[in-house]
């Protein structure tokens, strides 16, 4: 999320810098009326600073991250699941010595 916001802020700064950039006519007007260089260079410097700061921030490991291979106490790896044979119940007729009876028998494929 932080990277997305950084990219969005950078895009806004570059877009604002391109809109606020001086044209030849306005530069000549400012030069003759002593109004200064305008806001364009300031936005350009801010954009360059954001790019450099983002590059530095993304290259550092956050202080709250666990070292590689660390397993937090109290957490176990997920259990392994194995495929068991599919079983179902079907009726089976049998002779008990006096008559035919029906019982349910579990059959696994």
């Amino acid at each position: 999320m932080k990277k997305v916001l950084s990219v969005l802020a950078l895009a806004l700064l570059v877009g604002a810098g391109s809109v606020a950039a001086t044209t030849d006519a306005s530069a000549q007007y400012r030069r003759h009326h002593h109004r200064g260089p305008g806001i364009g260079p300031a936005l350009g410097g801010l954009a360059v600073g954001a790019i450099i700061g983002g590059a530095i921030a993304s290259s550092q490991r956050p202080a709250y991250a666990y070292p590689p291979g660390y397993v937090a106490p109290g957490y176990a790896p997920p259990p392994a699941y194995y495929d068991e044979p599919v079983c179902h119940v079907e009726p089976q007729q049998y002779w008990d010595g006096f008559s035919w009876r029906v019982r349910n028998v579990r059959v696994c494929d």
Side-chain angles (χ1 to χ4, degrees):
M1 184 69 179
K2 186 187 272 188
K3 289 183 181 181
V4 172
L5 290 177
S6 299
V7 170
L8 183 62
L10 178 65
L12 287 174
L13 287 173
V14 170
S18 65
V19 169
T22 59
T23 62
D24 291 338
S26 62
Q28 289 175 1
Y29 176 80
R30 284 193 183 115
R31 191 174 332 134
H32 292 297
H33 294 319
H34 307 290
R35 293 192 183 252
I39 198 167
L43 287 177
L46 189 60
V48 169
I51 291 171
I52 293 172
I56 291 171
S58 67
S59 66
Q60 295 176 352
R61 194 177 111 213
Y64 56 83
Y66 291 115
Y70 176 78
V71 177
Y75 292 99
Y81 293 102
Y82 300 102
D83 288 335
E84 295 183 3
V86 179
C87 299
H88 61 279
V89 177
E90 60 182 42
Q92 182 184 31
Q93 247 184 350
Y94 70 98
W95 178 260
D96 69 350
F98 297 102
S99 65
W100 287 99
R101 297 194 174 244
V102 178
R103 65 180 168 197
N104 291 330
V105 179
R106 183 176 179 203
V107 178
C108 296
D109 297 330

